[in-house]
């Protein structure tokens, strides 16, 4: 059932609900968004650290928080509706919705394994249009591989998508207890 809003709008609301919930549950939260005004407003409201734009989030988290125990990556897609989507839009969507999580895992998994801590990478892929569905499939395959390949070193990875009446925030809360 649709609420009448676009997929990117629903995704933004879902990510905001997740961020608010994590902060309310007592987690120290670093948030990122390409919209600096909305980012700083939300960070102020929930007591989070704001990292605008294409910042190196892992380095910022290590500097400001001392490390990263849980990485929750969300990414939206406004690439288009289908095969008419341009190659440039597909490339941008792929970089945002897939490769950003690969880069985060590439940086975080060795840190978690080296210090003996358990790390959790949770990716909430976009939903909706054709490019987003392709990205969601790729992200799902990547997180399954990461979980299988690095489980023995304490790294786990999950892909969460809202299904039915469950919210992403509820699913993440079940994985991430303070």
């Amino acid at each position: 059932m649709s609420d009448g809003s676009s997929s990117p709008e629903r995704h933004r609301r879902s990510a905001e609900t997740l961020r608010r919930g994590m902060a309310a549950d007592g987690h120290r939260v670093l948030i990122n968004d390409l919209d600096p005004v909305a980012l700083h407003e939300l960070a102020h409201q929930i007591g989070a650290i704001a990292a605008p734009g294409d910042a190196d989030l892992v380095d910022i988290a290590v500097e400001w928080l001392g490390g990263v125990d849980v990485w929750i990556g969300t990414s939206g897609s406004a690439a288009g509706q289908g095969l008419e989507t341009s190659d440039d839009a597909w490339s941008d969507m792929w970089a945002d919705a897939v490769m950003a999580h690969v880069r985060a895992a590439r940086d975080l998994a060795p840190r978690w394994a080296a210090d003996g801590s358990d790390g959790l990478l949770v990716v909430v892929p976009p939903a909706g249009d054709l490019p987003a569905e392709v990205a969601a499939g790729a992200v799902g395959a990547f997180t399954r591989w990461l979980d299988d390949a690095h489980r023995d070193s304490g790294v786990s990875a999950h892909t969460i998508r809202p299904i039915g009446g469950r919210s992403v925030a509820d699913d993440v809360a079940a994985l991430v207890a303070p």
Side-chain angles (χ1 to χ4, degrees), residues 14 31 33 152 178:
S14 178
I31 61 176
D33 199 302
D152 291 343

Side-chain angles (χ1 to χ4, degrees), residues 13-32 42-43 45-49 65 67-74 112 119-124 160 167-178:
R13 283 196 312 270
S14 178
E16 182 176 324
T17 299
L18 179 58
R19 293 163 171 175
R20 287 181 183 281
M22 295 298 291
D25 286 344
H27 297 280
R28 295 180 306 154
V29 177
L30 181 144
I31 61 176
N32 172 260
L42 179 61
Q45 290 172 6
I46 68 173
I49 296 168
L65 302 174
V68 177
D69 297 322
V70 178
W71 176 274
I72 301 173
T74 63
W112 289 329
L120 175 65
L121 181 120
V122 179
V123 178
V124 183
I160 296 176
S167 74
V168 169
D170 292 339
D171 289 344
V172 170
L175 289 171
V176 184

